[in-house]
Amino acid sequence: MQQVPEDWRRGLVIVAHPDDIEYGAAAAVARWTGQGKDVRYLLVTSGEAGIAGLPPAEAGPLRRAEEIAGAAAVGVTEVEFLDHPDGRVQEGLALRRDLAAAIRRHRPEMVVLFNFGDTWAPGYANSADHRAVGRSALDAISDAGNEWIFPELADLPPWSARWAAVVGPGGTHAVDVSAHLDQARASLSAHRRYLEVLSDEPVADQVAFIVDRATGPKDGFDAAHAVSFELYYFAG
């Protein structure tokens, strides 16, 4: 397993929901902001359908606030929400256009995505929103660099990212996050209301388990704690 390229200055993390980043990539983000990189977050939804018993009109603003706090814990100050409907994100041209526009606005060299495969492991299905957002975002990276695919975006100059790094099974590259676990835990802990509903376990115990699982040793990579990615290359 190779080292993730780090000769870049600006990154954009694109995910479906608040908390997606904190379940996998937050420790890596903390590493990169600690290097002085400009990392930004793009959330396709506000996660308004994610808290049982709490109506979307209340859950959406709460989860947005939790995400902004979680981002701040790892050095991210710019968080954008596209306001697509939580749980009903549709893969396709409309989403690709919105994502291509965002990529042109933020102009990242590195784009970080969340697992968009059909499963997490055999027998464990991935969510429809994760699949739709990740697949559309991967296409949108190319769309953002092509002036003709979405001519209605002509007011935003084309932009070509160099890489996409996808958190999830099948990693090819990794980064050492051993020095950034406390920041990762603080970032996930910001989603307190969501975690309280998700499980009867104390929030601190959930956070410790999730961060430890996400940052455990990776086969073929020399680090006590690492985050792994599948890396895609683009002509930048």
Side-chain angles (χ1 to χ4, degrees):
M1 189 172 291
Q2 302 177 56
Q3 165 75 32
V4 172
E6 294 187 320
D7 57 330
W8 50 273
R9 300 298 302 167
R10 181 174 295 165
L12 180 64
V13 186
I14 301 175
V15 296
H17 316 109
D19 80 76
D20 286 350
I21 299 165
E22 289 70 32
Y23 264 73
V29 172
R31 171 188 170 96
W32 293 328
T33 59
Q35 295 171 343
K37 300 185 192 305
D38 177 357
V39 182
R40 304 172 181 192
Y41 286 178
L42 180 70
L43 287 295
V44 171
T45 81
S46 295
E48 68 275 8
I51 299 181
L54 192 66
E58 298 177 40
L62 170 63
R63 298 202 69 198
R64 288 168 73 113
E66 288 186 337
E67 183 55 48
I68 291 168
V74 291
V76 174
T77 58
E78 188 157 347
V79 182
E80 181 181 356
F81 298 86
L82 293 182
D83 293 325
H84 284 245
D86 184 19
R88 294 177 286 129
V89 178
Q90 294 187 346
E91 181 180 354
L93 289 176
L95 179 56
R96 281 172 52 188
R97 182 178 59 245
D98 287 353
L99 293 171
I103 290 167
R104 290 185 181 187
R105 286 195 301 272
H106 294 285
R107 304 175 75 80
E109 298 158 86
M110 172 67 79
V111 177
V112 177
L113 305 176
F114 200 54
N115 176 31
F116 51 80
D118 291 334
T119 64
W120 283 101
Y124 293 89
N126 198 3
S127 84
D129 282 359
H130 294 162
R131 300 195 307 269
V133 169
R135 290 168 181 168
S136 294
L138 196 66
D139 290 336
I141 295 171
S142 296
D143 298 337
N146 187 314
E147 62 187 305
W148 304 119
I149 294 176
F150 294 116
E152 62 270 35
L153 302 180
D155 58 323
L156 296 167
W159 177 258
S160 297
R162 297 171 64 188
W163 304 279
V166 184
V167 179
T172 58
H173 292 65
V175 292
D176 184 345
V177 297
S178 301
H180 304 283
L181 301 184
D182 286 345
Q183 288 169 279
R185 294 185 189 106
S187 186
L188 181 56
S189 295
H191 296 272
R192 176 165 296 276
R193 184 70 177 88
Y194 174 75
L195 292 171
E196 286 173 343
V197 173
L198 195 65
S199 172
D200 293 332
E201 293 292 322
V203 168
D205 291 348
Q206 292 186 60
V207 167
F209 174 78
I210 292 165
V211 172
D212 286 350
R213 182 179 59 182
T215 63
K218 303 298 185 287
D219 290 343
F221 192 75
D222 186 17
H225 297 275
V227 175
S228 62
F229 303 86
E230 182 177 4
L231 194 68
Y232 292 76
Y233 298 84
F234 295 85

